[in-house]
Amino acid sequence: MDQHPPTTEQAPPGRIDFLDFAAARGGQLHRTAYLLTGGDSHLAEDLVQEALSRVYVRWKRVSRLENPAGYTQTVLVNTFLSMRRLRSSSERVTIEFPEVAVNDQDPTLRLTLLQALRDLPAQDRAVLVLRFWEDRSVEETAAALHLSSTAVRSRSHRALHRMRALLGTGFTERTSQPR
């Protein structure tokens, strides 16, 4: 059996664990980031990359946590909120979406919902994505966003009300009818 000395191309064990983790969680992180960014796939990729780089720096500690995936989701949301505060006001999300294979029964419904989500303030968008897309509890959402449970409930209520106002009454009637 031919044994080679370790090369610089071989990653240390901690890095391999992180790479496996990032590969396993990357898709979920990107879907969440896509919703947070209002459908901007490129910005979502940047957001995931930034969040994973922040987690990598602390991977030794993060890997020992009970829920490293939950911690990473929290880092993703906090990174999104920070990027929104720091981002230049001249940047605008494009209305064009990349061509991707989607198995939606009603693509116009998806685009309409993404547009309404995009029109919400960043904090409200984060609350709705965590509560309803990620299916987190009020308490989990509050912990991730460093808010009280009451603030999450209040923001959820107001954000859903804004979404309904943005979508209009015809939209809610159309989606509530069985197909």
Side-chain angles (χ1 to χ4, degrees), residues 81-118:
L81 293 172
S82 295
M83 287 175 83
R84 293 291 300 179
R85 284 189 289 268
L86 299 175
R87 205 166 94 184
S88 167
S89 61
S90 65
E91 290 186 44
R92 298 287 179 237
V93 176
T94 182
I95 199 88
E96 297 177 26
F97 294 94
E99 291 185 31
V100 294
V102 176
N103 194 14
D104 282 344
Q105 297 297 323
D106 189 355
T108 56
L109 172 63
R110 179 182 179 87
L111 293 175
T112 303
L113 288 171
L114 280 173
Q115 179 63 45
L117 194 61
R118 183 183 308 121

Side-chain angles (χ1 to χ4, degrees), residues 30-93:
H30 188 266
R31 283 187 294 277
T32 301
Y34 184 80
L35 291 171
L36 288 171
T37 60
D40 185 331
S41 185
H42 298 290
L43 188 56
E45 289 172 3
D46 292 345
L47 182 60
V48 170
Q49 182 177 357
E50 179 65 24
L52 285 174
S53 68
R54 290 179 183 188
V55 169
Y56 178 70
V57 171
R58 296 174 183 85
W59 183 246
K60 202 174 214 180
R61 183 179 59 88
V62 172
S63 64
R64 292 188 300 251
L65 292 175
E66 183 177 319
N67 186 3
Y71 177 85
T72 305
Q73 284 292 121
T74 300
V75 169
L76 179 79
V77 172
N78 289 338
T79 302
F80 164 72
L81 293 172
S82 295
M83 287 175 83
R84 293 291 300 179
R85 284 189 289 268
L86 299 175
R87 205 166 94 184
S88 167
S89 61
S90 65
E91 290 186 44
R92 298 287 179 237
V93 176

Side-chain angles (χ1 to χ4, degrees), residues 113-127:
L113 288 171
L114 280 173
Q115 179 63 45
L117 194 61
R118 183 183 308 121
D119 291 342
L120 292 175
Q123 189 92 27
D124 289 349
R125 192 180 323 155
V127 167

Side-chain angles (χ1 to χ4, degrees), residues 40 135 142 169 176:
D40 185 331
D135 198 27
T169 56
S176 63

